[in-house]
Structure formats: C-alpha cells, structure tokens
C-alpha cells in the first residue's frame, strides 16, 4: 500500500499509513516523508487559489505543530500573509499561504516581493510591476 501511495503521489493515503504504521515501520517510511511532503506542497500551491491556511498544510503534510509547518513552508519558498481576527477583547491571527505567488516562485517566475513602482535594488532602475501583488516577474 505504501509503494502504491508513493508511486501514485497519493499523499493522503501515504500519511494515513504513516500515522497508523505498526511497530517500527514508520521509521522505514521516514526516508520517504520529505519527498512526499515536497510533492504535496507543489501540487497544493498549483491547484488551490488564491490561498490556503497554514493549519490546512499542517493537516495535509502530517506535521506535529504549526511552527514546524511554517519552517517547512519557508524552506519551500512560500509567501505568507497574516489575517487578524478580533472577537470581543481577544485578537487572534491566522497565517495563510498565497498559493499563486508561491507557485510562481516555485516555477522560477518570481524574483522577489516588492511594492509596485519601486526601485530595483540591483541596478537602481524604476520598475513597473504588472502583477497585483507587487511581484517582480523575471524577464
């Protein structure tokens, strides 16, 4: 079952098997976890628009906590944004991954985040950014 899940890029089945692996078989699957997580991340940012919560990625990628999830997503080059919720006197924040920008970065089409019409740090030229999130697209 594990081999079929890896070959078919079925990350849900793989992580379900990983969680319920008997005895020490989960240690054998540890060698595949990084590869499956990277494939899952690539497919998720390509498929979902405009954004997905970090909590959802934690569930999909079978991480123990949100900090570990954010660390993995940062290594993959994800773009984050934070949404603040105020209910009564308490304020909580939720982090989201901008899938469109992250997908463009993964494909190598985005150099860096910038504000529209800002100066380019490399050569000092004024650039107009056609993208609504202020992404500089590679020429």
């Amino acid at each position: 079952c594990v081999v079929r899940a890896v070959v078919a890029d079925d990350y849900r089945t793989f992580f379900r098997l990983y969680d319920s692996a008997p005895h020490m078989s989960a240690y054998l699957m540890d060698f595949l976890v990084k590869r499956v997580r990277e494939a899952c991340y690539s497919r998720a940012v390509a498929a979902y628009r405009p954004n997905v919560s970090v909590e959802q990625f934690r569930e999909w990628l079978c991480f123990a906590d949100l900090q570990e999830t954010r660390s993995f997503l940062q290594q993959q080059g994800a773009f984050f944004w934070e949404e603040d919720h105020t209910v009564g006197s308490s304020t909580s924040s939720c982090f989201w991954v901008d899938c469109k920008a992250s997908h463009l970065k993964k494909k190598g089409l985005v150099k860096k985040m910038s504000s529209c019409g800002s100066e380019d740090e490399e050569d000092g030229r004024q650039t107009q950014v056609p993208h609504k999130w202020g992404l500089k697209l590679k020429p």
Side-chain angles (χ1 to χ4, degrees):
C1 289
V2 174
V3 173
R4 276 186 258 156
V6 171
V7 170
D9 284 331
D10 186 359
Y11 63 88
R12 289 187 68 171
T13 301
F14 176 82
F15 286 118
R16 190 177 34 197
L17 292 169
Y18 182 69
D19 277 341
S20 65
H23 304 294
M24 298 187 68
S25 55
Y27 291 109
L28 296 172
M29 293 173 71
D30 281 340
F31 293 107
L32 300 170
V33 169
K34 182 178 179 185
R35 181 176 131 193
V36 173
R37 282 180 176 156
E38 289 173 355
C40 175
Y41 169 78
S42 295
R43 286 178 174 230
V45 297
Y48 292 97
R49 296 288 194 267
N51 50 48
V52 176
S53 70
V54 174
E55 176 65 30
Q56 185 67 47
F57 273 109
R58 187 194 64 75
E59 290 176 21
W60 287 341
L61 302 175
C62 197
F63 281 110
D65 60 4
L66 288 175
Q67 184 60 33
E68 187 180 11
T69 308
R70 288 197 61 199
S71 174
F72 171 80
L73 293 172
Q74 286 172 341
Q75 290 172 358
Q76 296 300 310
F79 289 120
F80 296 96
W81 63 276
E82 184 177 1
E83 181 179 42
D84 292 326
H85 298 286
T86 304
V87 178
S89 62
S90 65
T91 301
S92 65
S93 61
C94 181
F95 287 94
W96 297 81
V97 174
D98 185 342
C99 290
K100 187 169 187 173
S102 298
H103 181 65
L104 291 173
K105 184 174 182 182
K106 187 100 174 139
K107 291 184 76 158
L109 298 173
V110 174
K111 259 196 300 194
K112 61 184 173 178
M113 294 291 286
S114 71
S115 58
C116 291
S118 65
E119 282 192 18
D120 193 358
E121 290 84 16
E122 296 168 8
D123 56 8
R125 293 182 308 176
Q126 187 77 11
T127 58
Q128 293 298 320
V129 183
H131 198 272
K132 70 178 182 179
W133 286 289
L135 301 174
K136 286 188 179 179
L137 302 178
K138 286 185 178 177

